[in-house]
Amino acid sequence: MDVNAASPAVVSDTAPNPLLSTASLPDFAAIQPAHIQPAISELLEQAREALALVTAPDAPADYESLSRVLNVATERLGTAWGAVGHINAVANTPALREAYNAVLPAVTEFYTGLGANEALYAKYKAIAASEGLSPERRQLLKHAIRDFVLSGAELSGEAKERFAKIQERSAEIAQAFSEHVMDATDGWSHFATAEELQGVPPDVQANARAAAEKDGREGFKLTLHFPVYMPVMQYAEDRALRERLYRAYVTRASELAEKPEFDNSSLMRELLALRQEESKLLGFSNFAEASLVPKMATSPAQVVEFLLDLAARAKPYAQRDLDELRDFAGAALRMPALEAWDLAYVSEKLKEARYAFSDQEVRQYLTLPRVLDGLFRIVDRLFGVQLVPAQASVWHESVQFCELRRNGELIGQVYLDLFARNGKRPGAWMDEVRSRWTRPDLPNTGMEQIPVAHLVCNFPQGADGKPALLTHDDVITLFHECGHGLHHLLTQVAELGVSGISGVEWDAVELPSQFMENFCWEWEVIQQLSSHVDTGASLPRDLFDKMLAAKNFQAGLQTLRQIEFALFDMRLHAEPGSEERIQALVDDVRAEVSVNRPPAFNRFQHSFSHIFAGGYAAGYYSYKWAEVLSADCWSAFEEEGVFNPATGRRYLDEILSMGSVRDAMDNFKAFRGREPSIDALLRHQGMA
């Protein structure tokens, strides 16, 4: 079933509600908007009853008893609400959105109350003080007690009531922000002529023509979805067309957009003010301090120092990159000035001239079926597990489902939703469906719940009967999200809360994902991933050598861009009154670290979902922080052999399988035998 289609307003009273099923996997194809309110209301009531039972004065301060009642109820609620949230992100419809938003306040209220429940907090502290706890359980209790404090468990009276209201309103704002970005992206289009699309890859043109025909229009329908937007910016010879798309893209969901009804300005201001108020209630000077409590970094000042140090190292390389672009644009392309909408186009032309290849040439060898097959074989070789296609209920016909097996034994499952479409949130991500857990509600069998993951990307569809073609950057994105998935799926910890990625410090959670990206630059790997769409031939070695030579092309500019985002995020959440000077703060950061400031109309922050609708508020620096860790881990494979079984096993045992039973730094030191060094990152990016 395609849940992008219009959904019925009601469902049969006699049909079972799929969100109340206790099956191991959600029945995604059966979920309708009308199921959401009754199912979530029933599961919320069951969770409230469970909470009352375990917090009763005579309830034992025993984790096994508590988990058997409360964790079972909240896990069931979390699984159902996770399924609803996932569908809302990847197959959004007006009816589904309305049903989701109607229940969101009640769900937020419950989880806010759960995290701040004084009686439950007291039970956890009593359990933590007991003897004979396993390392896994002691760590999860340590995390839980910390999280109780951050959730307002030590507040009382009006402060506690206000904290709860802040949580509810913040959740509503984050959801509205995300909806505005999605609607602004889906709601813009331009019907181009064949002349405007000179230079754009044929498969992109074919898909654009098909989209226009579907709308009953002539020409080619261009949208702001990345598989359309980026090829136009890279290849379209029509400068006016590039400017049109650039302006639309960077002003999405802002007051400058063509459809300002999706303006996120007021939402951003309100959310930032609420976050600062929340942090003050908890006794912190600012939201950034509160955000860093469960992370590896210890203070906003430490993060800013890290970012500025990296910026100082990268800036000379970035300036060189920009000078080369300007020189090439003037000398080779006769451009009077290099504008923001020229950067991708000129960069692609410079790369072609310097390295004698183009991304479009490489794409012909990277068909999605071949890339997936190669990825699965690499995972098997590295970690001794097999990804096997299987059947499950899915939300869209293009979604694939796989089982993860080791020596024939089922150890995990994963949904692959890889194509861009309307109603689907932009970007790429991994999310949990279920976590590995020895369920306490089945103590006699010792049944262990296997982990299940979503792996989501936004790649272009195939055109003219051919498979989807990926850029090398697309392949890197796929490997990145697979790294997150492996972190979740290959855990050997079966204690809920510390298995998989649960509880892992946010600034270390990107380590396994960024680590996997390195395989995309190995010749032996590329041979397994490539097969020409027409001839079936593997990517030639001379073409790969050109790609490798261009690996660090514009690494300086790319590094400064990430630092710009991260520094803006940290200062936004650390400086008082930032909600009233968001654009001014963007300008300050750009003046400090950028070598090429975007146009004044650029409003990237209005679609910065990572920090306004995701989990990266005062945490976007995590990408660069974890990149230091992942580069250093990869250097061990460089030293000992990329497919050295002993190295792969050590990485699996010390990092992937450990969950958060140990702190991330302890995991890293167990693998590398020392603390991390920035040297490997600088060397890998050509900035040593």
Side-chain angles (χ1 to χ4, degrees):
M1 169 186 136
D2 184 346
V3 292
N4 278 309
S7 300
V10 296
V11 292
S12 169
D13 291 336
T14 59
N17 192 318
L19 291 170
L20 294 174
S21 171
T22 57
S24 60
L25 295 171
D27 187 357
F28 285 109
I31 297 172
Q32 298 290 340
H35 291 129
I36 296 173
Q37 191 278 330
I40 299 302
S41 296
E42 181 175 332
L43 293 171
L44 279 170
E45 185 56 35
Q46 292 175 6
R48 292 188 192 103
E49 291 173 359
L51 178 61
L53 281 174
V54 301
T55 55
D58 58 347
D62 170 71
Y63 188 78
E64 200 68 34
S65 301
L66 184 151
S67 181
R68 190 176 300 118
V69 177
L70 183 60
N71 287 358
V72 168
T74 55
E75 197 265 351
R76 192 176 177 210
L77 169 64
T79 299
W81 183 239
V84 173
H86 177 72
I87 293 288
N88 191 52
V90 299
N92 192 276
T93 65
L96 181 66
R97 179 181 296 184
E98 181 181 1
Y100 177 88
N101 287 332
V103 180
L104 178 61
V107 175
T108 305
E109 180 184 19
F110 171 76
Y111 280 110
T112 300
L114 182 71
N117 189 285
E118 295 174 33
L120 186 61
Y121 181 34
K123 294 287 186 187
Y124 267 84
K125 287 193 288 187
I127 295 169
S130 61
E131 300 292 332
L133 295 169
S134 67
E136 292 87 352
R137 195 155 288 179
R138 188 166 296 284
Q139 182 81 328
L140 80 85
L141 289 166
K142 172 186 168 185
H143 289 172
I145 290 169
R146 174 201 68 199
D147 294 342
F148 271 113
V149 175
L150 293 175
S151 298
E154 295 185 344
L155 300 177
S156 60
E158 292 183 3
K160 192 159 198 163
E161 291 179 10
R162 179 57 185 160
F163 187 89
K165 290 185 181 300
I166 289 173
Q167 302 309 302
E168 181 177 334
R169 180 57 184 153
S170 295
E172 292 172 352
I173 293 172
Q175 174 62 14
F177 185 98
S178 181
E179 289 175 0
H180 283 181
V181 175
M182 182 185 293
D183 291 344
T185 303
D186 287 349
W188 188 94
S189 62
H190 169 64
F191 290 88
T193 65
E195 289 73 24
E196 286 180 295
L197 291 188
Q198 288 295 315
V200 175
D203 61 318
V204 178
Q205 293 195 39
N207 282 330
R209 187 191 310 110
E213 290 172 355
K214 187 176 180 181
D215 285 356
R217 297 284 299 271
E218 296 290 328
F220 303 79
K221 183 179 181 180
L222 303 182
T223 71
L224 299 182
H225 290 287
F226 209 70
V228 178
Y229 172 77
M230 197 60 217
V232 172
M233 299 307 295
Q234 277 185 296
Y235 297 106
E237 296 171 6
D238 191 317
R239 198 181 193 195
L241 178 66
R242 298 200 306 269
E243 180 180 1
R244 179 193 287 266
L245 263 72
Y246 176 84
R247 283 181 177 272
Y249 191 83
V250 303
T251 58
R252 284 179 303 162
S254 80
E255 77 281 8
L256 300 180
E258 292 182 17
K259 295 185 177 181
E261 64 266 33
F262 303 129
D263 183 12
N264 274 329
S265 299
S266 62
L267 294 178
M268 293 156 61
R269 288 194 296 269
E270 184 182 357
L271 184 57
L272 288 169
L274 289 174
R275 286 172 176 172
Q276 296 294 51
E277 184 182 355
E278 171 192 326
S279 64
K280 294 291 179 60
L281 288 172
L282 294 175
F284 295 97
S285 298
N286 52 66
F287 182 83
E289 287 185 359
S291 173
L292 291 179
V293 171
K295 296 181 171 72
M296 293 179 72
T298 57
S299 70
Q302 183 191 16
V303 173
V304 170
E305 181 182 1
F306 164 72
L307 292 172
L308 291 180
D309 175 60
L310 190 54
R313 295 169 185 260
K315 206 164 189 176
Y317 296 93
Q319 188 61 59
R320 182 193 65 187
D321 293 340
L322 183 61
D323 291 343
E324 290 174 346
L325 269 184
R326 285 173 173 161
D327 291 345
F328 182 80
L333 303 179
R334 299 290 186 266
M335 282 187 178
L338 187 67
E339 302 290 354
W341 45 90
D342 299 323
L343 291 176
Y345 177 78
V346 176
S347 294
E348 182 63 24
K349 293 295 184 184
L350 174 58
K351 187 166 69 174
E352 290 177 17
R354 177 174 295 172
Y355 303 105
F357 82 98
S358 70
D359 286 348
Q360 175 63 11
E361 181 183 1
V362 175
R363 284 183 76 227
Q364 307 307 307
Y365 291 91
L366 298 175
T367 64
L368 181 58
R370 176 69 173 186
V371 169
L372 279 177
D373 179 67
L375 173 59
F376 292 176
R377 282 185 283 158
I378 289 161
V379 169
D380 186 6
R381 185 174 176 184
L382 277 172
F383 307 119
V385 294
Q386 299 79 45
L387 280 155
V388 182
Q391 296 295 316
S393 172
V394 296
W395 52 93
H396 190 271
E397 60 185 8
S398 65
V399 175
Q400 301 177 57
F401 178 76
C402 293
E403 294 179 342
L404 190 68
R405 294 184 174 273
R406 177 181 281 127
N407 298 324
E409 178 188 358
L410 180 65
I411 63 170
Q413 296 166 315
V414 60
Y415 297 87
L416 304 174
D417 185 353
L418 302 180
F419 296 115
R421 56 181 179 268
N422 279 351
K424 184 177 178 182
R425 198 179 88 201
W429 66 92
M430 190 283 294
D431 200 3
E432 306 171 35
V433 182
R434 289 186 182 274
S435 296
R436 186 174 180 182
W437 185 27
T438 301
R439 298 188 63 95
D441 51 336
L442 298 170
N444 294 328
T445 63
M447 175 184 172
E448 193 171 279
Q449 176 173 281
I450 63 170
V452 186
H454 292 300
L455 197 160
V456 184
C457 296
N458 272 282
F459 298 146
Q461 292 274 4
D464 296 332
K466 295 182 178 180
L469 302 179
L470 306 185
T471 66
H472 191 245
D473 282 345
D474 289 335
V475 176
I476 290 172
T477 296
L478 179 63
F479 271 64
H480 179 102
E481 300 308 332
C482 180
H484 282 309
L486 293 172
H487 198 186
H488 176 63
L489 296 168
L490 295 183
T491 184
Q492 291 299 302
V493 180
E495 192 74 72
L496 201 64
V498 288
S499 69
I501 64 171
S502 298
V504 175
E505 294 99 313
W506 204 249
D507 39 9
V509 80
E510 296 294 333
L511 189 167
S513 54
Q514 292 173 342
F515 169 84
M516 284 297 294
E517 295 179 17
N518 291 285
F519 287 98
C520 301
W521 294 102
E522 294 294 319
W523 169 239
E524 186 177 355
V525 171
I526 286 292
Q527 288 177 294
Q528 297 181 52
L529 301 181
S530 60
S531 175
H532 194 279
V533 64
D534 294 323
T535 68
S538 293
L539 188 137
R541 179 62 196 242
D542 65 333
L543 179 53
F544 174 74
D545 288 340
K546 294 171 185 176
M547 293 166 58
L548 202 59
K551 177 177 182 287
N552 293 319
F553 180 64
Q554 297 184 347
L557 283 173
Q558 292 168 11
T559 298
L560 284 194
R561 180 173 179 270
Q562 288 299 103
I563 292 172
E564 178 185 314
F565 294 167
L567 191 58
F568 164 70
D569 166 48
M570 185 53 60
R571 289 186 57 186
L572 191 68
H573 290 99
E575 297 179 7
S578 64
E579 69 274 9
E580 297 301 331
R581 55 184 303 269
I582 297 174
Q583 186 60 50
L585 188 53
V586 172
D587 295 338
D588 287 350
V589 168
R590 285 173 173 161
E592 186 171 18
V593 301
S594 178
V595 296
N596 184 46
R597 299 178 66 173
F601 61 77
N602 184 295
R603 294 290 186 272
F604 92 93
Q605 65 270 21
H606 286 71
S607 58
F608 199 179
S609 296
H610 278 77
I611 69 170
F612 290 112
Y616 283 86
Y620 196 81
Y621 77 93
S622 300
Y623 284 102
K624 300 312 293 184
W625 187 280
E627 208 170 344
V628 172
L629 305 177
S630 66
D632 206 341
C633 283
W634 180 252
S635 65
F637 283 77
E638 291 177 315
E639 295 161 8
E640 301 169 22
V642 169
F643 286 104
N644 184 310
T647 312
R649 182 71 197 192
R650 192 169 80 249
Y651 177 77
L652 174 64
D653 291 344
E654 303 296 356
I655 293 181
L656 285 186
S657 68
M658 287 300 294
S660 60
V661 171
R662 291 187 310 216
D663 291 344
M665 182 59 77
D666 292 332
N667 287 347
F668 178 89
K669 289 192 289 190
F671 175 68
R672 284 302 269 142
R674 56 167 173 76
E675 295 204 352
S677 165
I678 198 174
D679 294 347
L681 173 62
L682 296 174
R683 176 170 53 83
H684 289 162
Q685 296 188 345
M687 297 187 295

